[in-house]
Amino acid sequence: PRLKLIFVERFRFEAWDNAVSLDDTAADTFAYTRNRTTLGLRWLTAKNVEVLGKVTNEFRVYLAPKDRAFNAHEVFVDNLYVKWTIPGRRPFIFTAGRQDINLGEGFVIADSTPLDGSRSYYFNALRFDAEVAPGHELIVFAHAQETRDKYLPIINEREQALVEQPERALAVYYSGAFGKAKVDAYAVRKTVEETGTWLAGRVDTFGARAQVPISKPLVLTGEGAFQTGTHGGAGRAAFGGIAHLDWSPAWRVPFLKTLVLGGIHLSGDDPATARMEAWDPIFSRWPKWSEGYIQTFNRESRPAYWSNLNSVYGSLVLDLGARANATITAHRLGAERTLPGAFPGGTGLHRGGLVVGRLNFTISKLLSGHVQWDHFEPGDFYAPEADAFNWLRFELMFRY
């Protein structure tokens, strides 16, 4: 159809205790509902031109702490773009405006608005997609973001923070198939302005990702990137990488769909040098490994600032029938460097043990949901008196 209505209603109940402080005596236990409504319209103005606009509102009702007053929060423009497909032997696609961009596994590029949680993910971007050869694609985009939404109108503005520093970025992302292997390579330049305690700087990220079938049931995936640039008046040299081996048995194993063994390494800063060695999650400050543990980064650096972290983990993906599946993941979290100060307060490099369980279910074609539970036991990276935390969410999603 030339016109398509978009309506999404997401209801979440979330509850968690002392994930920020790791202190059972602290007053940082939360329980609340998150209610996000999205209304949009997709218009095919011509055979090769698409216009899409969406507005979104998300408000919370707090059960704890009780001093959090209710407010309806903002109605903001979530997406607004024009997509133009230029026909030819090798078609080109040009997309201009506010749009979501998620590339690869989201290790580097997934979310440009980390401080509003999952309320939005958008990039204010000009994007160009080109098929340079059969099975080979090149993506180039330029992006700009302010600390608050300054580009499009807002109803009932609440000065919602999106990022800590104004930022600009230019990215080139290639993906291609070489036989059964899939290879991505990218270069991203991001600059940030100085604001308050945050220094101006430039992060140049160069990386590659490969997914290689070893045999029919085994697939190996690896991604690594290094970063150069500046941090205030100092230089920058950081590294980040992930790898995982996925085994999906060809023969039937009761309930088992996939077994995953993996690792994560994100470098930390060495205080003995002038340069910055800590990995900068430029556009990947989203809960890709844990919903609860992103809160623990609040006092260490910034919310969801995945850095100075390593993990060896295992996951079980369970098939529970046509309408349900589940994933259970266990991490042994570590750090590359200890940190000074009262928090985290430990002298070791063992961050602790993290278990994440998630059940996904489908009720109908339009209605789905999930339940997720995170449990963290602190290690010697934190002070000896650090306490464990639990994080819980229930979600229902209606999508039309």
Side-chain angles (χ1 to χ4, degrees), residues 8 11 38 77 113 147 157 161 189 217 227-228 250 298 304 310 313 340:
V8 182
F11 169 81
T38 298
V77 179
T113 59
T147 55
E157 184 172 357
R189 167 164 288 191
Q227 294 177 329
T228 61
N298 283 11
N310 54 64
Y313 68 89

Side-chain angles (χ1 to χ4, degrees), residues 118-158:
S118 61
R119 187 186 78 139
S120 69
Y121 315 95
Y122 63 76
F123 290 72
N124 299 304
L126 299 175
R127 173 173 169 169
F128 180 76
D129 294 56
E131 185 185 23
V132 294
H136 299 266
E137 182 182 20
L138 187 67
I139 299 170
V140 179
F141 72 84
H143 155 74
Q145 185 67 276
E146 303 298 325
T147 55
R148 291 177 173 84
D149 191 353
K150 302 294 184 183
Y151 299 127
L152 292 172
I154 297 173
I155 299 174
N156 196 36
E157 184 172 357
R158 288 293 184 267

Side-chain angles (χ1 to χ4, degrees), residues 245-288:
L245 183 66
D246 298 33
W247 177 62
S248 302
W251 62 93
R252 181 169 178 79
V253 177
F255 302 112
L256 178 62
K257 183 179 180 181
T258 307
L259 173 65
V260 182
L261 297 176
I264 305 161
H265 179 80
L266 308 173
S267 62
D269 183 45
D270 184 354
T273 69
R275 66 183 181 180
M276 170 59 69
E277 292 94 356
W279 172 257
D280 188 322
I282 50 173
F283 297 120
S284 57
R285 291 171 60 185
W286 62 284
K288 52 185 171 293

Side-chain angles (χ1 to χ4, degrees), residues 30-330:
F30 291 86
Y32 49 85
T33 67
R34 296 177 62 176
N35 309 271
R36 189 182 75 171
T37 304
T38 298
L39 183 64
L41 187 68
R42 176 177 175 264
W43 179 26
L44 297 179
T45 62
K47 185 177 180 180
N48 60 332
V49 178
E50 172 191 336
V51 179
L52 186 142
K54 294 191 298 184
V55 294
T56 293
N57 168 262
E58 182 181 82
F59 66 88
R60 300 188 181 193
V61 178
Y62 278 86
L63 307 178
K66 295 184 179 296
D67 61 352
R68 296 292 182 99
F70 170 79
N71 72 81
H73 219 268
E74 302 174 339
V75 178
F76 67 98
V77 179
D78 196 357
N79 278 175
L80 182 61
Y81 63 78
V82 177
K83 180 184 291 187
W84 179 29
T85 302
I86 304 170
R89 184 180 178 186
R90 297 278 181 262
F92 301 93
I93 302 174
F94 179 69
T95 309
R98 183 165 291 179
Q99 56 194 284
D100 297 340
I101 302 176
N102 191 313
L103 302 177
E105 294 183 39
F107 177 64
V108 170
I109 299 173
D111 186 357
S112 172
T113 59
L115 295 186
D116 73 349
S118 61
R119 187 186 78 139
S120 69
Y121 315 95
Y122 63 76
F123 290 72
N124 299 304
L126 299 175
R127 173 173 169 169
F128 180 76
D129 294 56
E131 185 185 23
V132 294
H136 299 266
E137 182 182 20
L138 187 67
I139 299 170
V140 179
F141 72 84
H143 155 74
Q145 185 67 276
E146 303 298 325
T147 55
R148 291 177 173 84
D149 191 353
K150 302 294 184 183
Y151 299 127
L152 292 172
I154 297 173
I155 299 174
N156 196 36
E157 184 172 357
R158 288 293 184 267
E159 297 187 344
Q160 171 65 54
L162 302 175
V163 289
E164 294 88 353
Q165 300 169 266
E167 58 189 35
R168 306 289 183 268
L170 179 65
V172 179
Y173 196 99
Y174 159 83
S175 60
F178 295 86
K180 295 183 178 180
K182 298 178 181 178
V183 177
D184 298 356
Y186 49 84
V188 184
R189 167 164 288 191
K190 174 181 170 180
T191 59
V192 294
E193 300 177 19
E194 182 174 351
T195 54
T197 59
W198 306 109
L199 298 176
R202 188 187 82 247
V203 187
D204 298 327
T205 304
F206 306 92
R209 176 178 183 269
Q211 188 176 71
V212 182
I214 298 176
S215 62
K216 189 172 182 179
L218 278 175
V219 178
L220 177 63
T221 303
E223 182 168 353
F226 67 91
Q227 294 177 329
T228 61
T230 60
H231 179 71
R236 183 185 296 272
F239 174 79
I242 58 174
H244 52 89
L245 183 66
D246 298 33
W247 177 62
S248 302
W251 62 93
R252 181 169 178 79
V253 177
F255 302 112
L256 178 62
K257 183 179 180 181
T258 307
L259 173 65
V260 182
L261 297 176
I264 305 161
H265 179 80
L266 308 173
S267 62
D269 183 45
D270 184 354
T273 69
R275 66 183 181 180
M276 170 59 69
E277 292 94 356
W279 172 257
D280 188 322
I282 50 173
F283 297 120
S284 57
R285 291 171 60 185
W286 62 284
K288 52 185 171 293
W289 295 304
S290 170
E291 294 277 0
Y293 198 66
I294 61 172
Q295 306 295 338
T296 311
F297 280 112
N298 283 11
R299 292 177 62 181
E300 186 176 324
S301 53
R302 316 183 193 190
Y305 199 82
W306 299 103
S307 186
N308 189 32
L309 176 138
N310 54 64
S311 169
V312 176
Y313 68 89
S315 294
L316 284 174
V317 182
L318 305 177
D319 185 351
L320 304 178
R323 291 180 177 268
N325 63 77
T327 303
I328 303 171
T329 303

